[in-house]
């Protein structure tokens, strides 16, 4: 198993950070890369545009490698919401059709679908939450819905962001395809935590940011656009996603998914941070990261059950995120634990624990001990 990587981070012994799903820390190596890039901003004449182009392509290539795509299929975007807005511009949504999404979904993969539905006279069907935690059956039943309106889009995440409940995309993706729907995946809580392969799911679009499980910078996200969707209209036109045509005008698009690249894509600091974070992650490997996190969440689950918390059922538990409903107020518990230097999040009444490679057994024991003490005091 991948050993603890804590020595690569500046996390004091007394801090237990179990909140990678909110924002991951940058490792020493990533910050060093960012520091070097920062220095070059004082001497712009030393960094040519070609070098920034090369760096952008390096980042694109590494993001592609992470999800087993080709670099041509990846756009560099600011955020997941940016990516979803691009996808929403491209998918065919006609009057009277349905867009499926999960209940309690993150706004970045929810609000744009409501806007699109309103614009086109379509409607958003909001699924769940299922009583037994089985999102997969809920989604499959809705996709099949024999009496339902035609299906235009299935907009999903493989792991629910609030509590880490897992959806089986191996079943859902082919079902969506059979019904002729576009499949748009928010892989925020998958990329970097769990092996991810676009060849397996064949989504039309798939988006992920760098600042959470990839332990990279803010304002750098990735959009996979399948070859069939590489002719769409980007949200903005800029010098990065366009190119000069034979007449010298900026009328042509850049190749492949690059046509969706953001403006100011060549930010040297962000590119350097993202590149180092992706390189570091690819060295660890998603499977090894996932295995380590599954080990830590399993240790934690035993403690939480003993404390009387209601956990996401084991059969749908993601390896890296663990949602637990406490008998007392979740928000108060999170605030109490933060005072004891144990950091996690509350989402929709659930305690959300999200360890990463810098966590170890001592962190789990400490979190459990502090929770026990906090519950006794409550
Ligand atoms: C499920 C999910 N999607 C997306 C995001 C981030 O969205 P954006 O990059 O648009 O800020 C988050 C952040 O918490 C999230 O949990």
């Amino acid at each position: 198993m991948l050993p603890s990587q804590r020595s690569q981070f500046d996390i004091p012994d007394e801090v237990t950070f179990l909140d990678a799903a909110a924002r991951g820390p940058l490792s020493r190596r990533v910050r060093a890369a960012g520091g070097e890039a920062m220095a070059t901003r004082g001497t712009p004449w030393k960094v040519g545009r070609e070098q920034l182009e090369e760096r952008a392509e390096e980042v694109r290539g590494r993001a592609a490698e992470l999800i087993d795509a080709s670099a041509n299929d990846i756009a560099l975007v600011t955020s997941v919401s940016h990516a979803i807005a691009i996808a929403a511009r491209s998918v065919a949504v006609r009057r009277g059709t349905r867009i499926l999404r999960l209940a309690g979904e993150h706004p970045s993969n929810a609000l744009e679908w409501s806007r699109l539905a309103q614009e086109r006279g379509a409607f958003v069907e909001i699924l769940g939450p299922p009583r037994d935690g089985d999102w997969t059956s809920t989604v499959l039943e809705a996709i099949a819905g024999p009496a339902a309106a035609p299906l235009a889009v299935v907009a999903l995440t493989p792991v629910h962001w609030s509590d880490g409940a897992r959806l089986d995309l191996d079943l859902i993706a082919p079902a969506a395809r059979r019904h002729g729907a576009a499949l748009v995946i928010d892989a925020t809580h998958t990329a970097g935590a769990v092996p991810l392969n676009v060849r397996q799911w064949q989504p039309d679009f798939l988006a992920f940011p760098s600042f959470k499980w990839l332990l990279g910078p803010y304002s750098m996200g990735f959009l996979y656009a399948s070859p069939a969707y590489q002719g769409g209209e980007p949200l903005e036109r800029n010098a990065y996603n366009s190119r000069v045509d034979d007449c010298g005008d900026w009328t042509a698009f850049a190749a492949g998914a690059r046509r969706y690249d953001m403006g100011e894509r060549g930010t040297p600091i962000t590119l350097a941070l993202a590149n180092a974070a992706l390189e570091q992650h690819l060295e660890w490997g998603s499977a090894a990261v996932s295995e380590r996190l599954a080990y830590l969440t399993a240790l934690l689950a035993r403690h939480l059950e003993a404390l009387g918390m209601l956990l996401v059922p084991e059969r749908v538990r993601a390896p890296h995120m663990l949602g637990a409903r406490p008998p007392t107020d979740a928000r108060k518990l999170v605030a109490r634990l933060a005072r004891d230097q144990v950091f996690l999040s509350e989402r929709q009444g659930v305690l959300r624990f999200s360890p990463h490679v810098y966590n170890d057994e001592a962190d789990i024991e400490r979190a459990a001990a502090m929770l026990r003490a906090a519950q006794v005091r409550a």
Side-chain angles (χ1 to χ4, degrees):
M1 188 171 66
L2 182 73
S4 167
Q5 303 294 310
R6 198 177 184 98
S7 63
Q8 299 205 37
F9 293 79
D10 280 325
I11 304 177
D13 286 347
E14 63 278 14
V15 168
T16 289
F17 185 73
L18 295 169
D19 212 5
R23 61 197 179 287
L26 303 183
S27 69
R28 294 205 176 107
R29 169 176 168 177
V30 172
R31 281 186 293 133
E36 278 171 34
M38 174 73 108
T40 68
R41 290 294 293 115
T43 54
W45 55 91
K46 290 186 182 168
V47 188
R49 191 171 161 152
E50 310 72 45
Q51 270 169 280
L52 289 176
E53 270 301 314
E54 276 169 28
R55 179 45 63 82
E57 286 307 307
E58 211 176 338
V59 170
R60 196 187 311 279
R62 292 195 203 286
E65 187 181 340
L66 182 79
I67 60 170
D68 205 10
S70 116
N72 210 44
D73 303 336
I74 303 289
L76 304 183
V77 295
T78 57
S79 59
V80 171
S81 39
H82 183 193
I84 298 295
I86 292 169
R89 272 199 150 194
S90 289
V91 292
V93 174
R94 280 181 266 282
R95 174 169 294 280
T97 59
R98 294 183 292 156
I99 299 172
L100 297 189
R101 76 152 169 95
L102 307 182
E105 183 56 281
H106 189 275
S108 290
N109 189 29
L111 302 179
E112 182 64 10
W113 300 117
S114 306
R115 185 204 61 75
L116 183 69
Q118 196 173 18
E119 180 188 286
R120 303 282 170 85
F123 63 97
V124 177
E125 190 176 334
I126 300 175
L127 311 176
R131 278 182 190 283
D132 57 358
D134 185 357
W135 283 102
T136 304
S137 300
T138 305
V139 174
L140 288 174
E141 278 161 28
I143 289 177
L151 193 56
V153 181
V154 177
L156 289 181
T157 167
V159 176
H160 202 286
W161 75 297
S162 63
D163 61 5
R166 204 163 39 76
L167 282 82
D168 191 344
L169 266 289
D170 288 349
L171 296 176
I172 293 171
R177 269 198 305 281
R178 273 198 305 280
H179 284 78
L183 178 62
V184 180
I185 299 181
D186 173 359
T188 297
H189 297 293
T190 312
V194 182
L196 179 51
N197 183 332
V198 286
R199 292 177 203 281
Q200 195 173 334
W201 293 338
Q202 297 175 37
D204 295 293
F205 289 100
L206 180 143
F208 54 99
S210 97
F211 75 102
K212 292 180 187 276
W213 297 95
L214 285 167
L215 307 175
Y218 276 97
S219 300
M220 172 59 82
F222 305 98
L223 172 65
Y224 163 84
S226 69
Y229 280 95
Q230 290 172 10
E233 193 59 36
L235 274 184
E236 79 244 58
R237 295 297 303 265
N238 59 58
Y240 301 98
N241 65 18
S242 306
R243 60 191 164 78
V244 180
D245 64 15
D246 294 341
C247 305
D249 294 325
W250 287 87
T251 52
F253 282 111
R258 291 175 188 81
R259 69 164 51 213
Y260 302 123
D261 273 4
M262 61 178 156
E264 296 190 21
R265 183 206 68 197
T267 318
I269 301 162
T270 313
L271 285 177
L273 292 168
N275 195 41
L278 281 162
E279 188 180 46
Q280 168 186 263
H281 184 85
L282 291 168
E283 280 172 23
W284 291 328
S286 295
V289 169
S290 178
E291 184 193 28
R292 176 162 185 83
L293 303 189
Y295 163 72
L296 294 173
T297 51
L299 289 182
L300 186 59
R302 266 184 250 143
H303 286 295
L304 299 179
E305 269 160 1
L307 286 168
M309 303 210 183
L310 198 61
L311 304 193
V312 170
E314 200 168 351
R315 74 199 138 75
V316 294
R317 228 175 259 169
H320 57 298
M321 271 164 82
L322 187 59
R325 204 171 279 281
T328 53
D329 188 293
R331 270 186 202 202
K332 285 193 186 147
L333 268 179
V334 167
R336 169 74 250 168
L337 262 69
R339 288 203 289 278
D340 295 329
Q341 307 268 67
V342 175
F343 299 95
L344 62 142
S345 281
E346 177 273 341
R347 291 287 180 273
Q348 300 170 4
V350 172
L351 296 176
R352 187 184 68 181
F353 297 86
S354 52
H356 213 311
V357 294
Y358 39 74
N359 289 120
D360 52 22
E361 293 83 349
D363 282 325
I364 302 300
E365 294 304 320
R366 199 161 165 269
M370 295 302 182
L371 265 173
R372 208 171 296 119
Q375 284 207 344
V376 169
R377 279 195 295 265

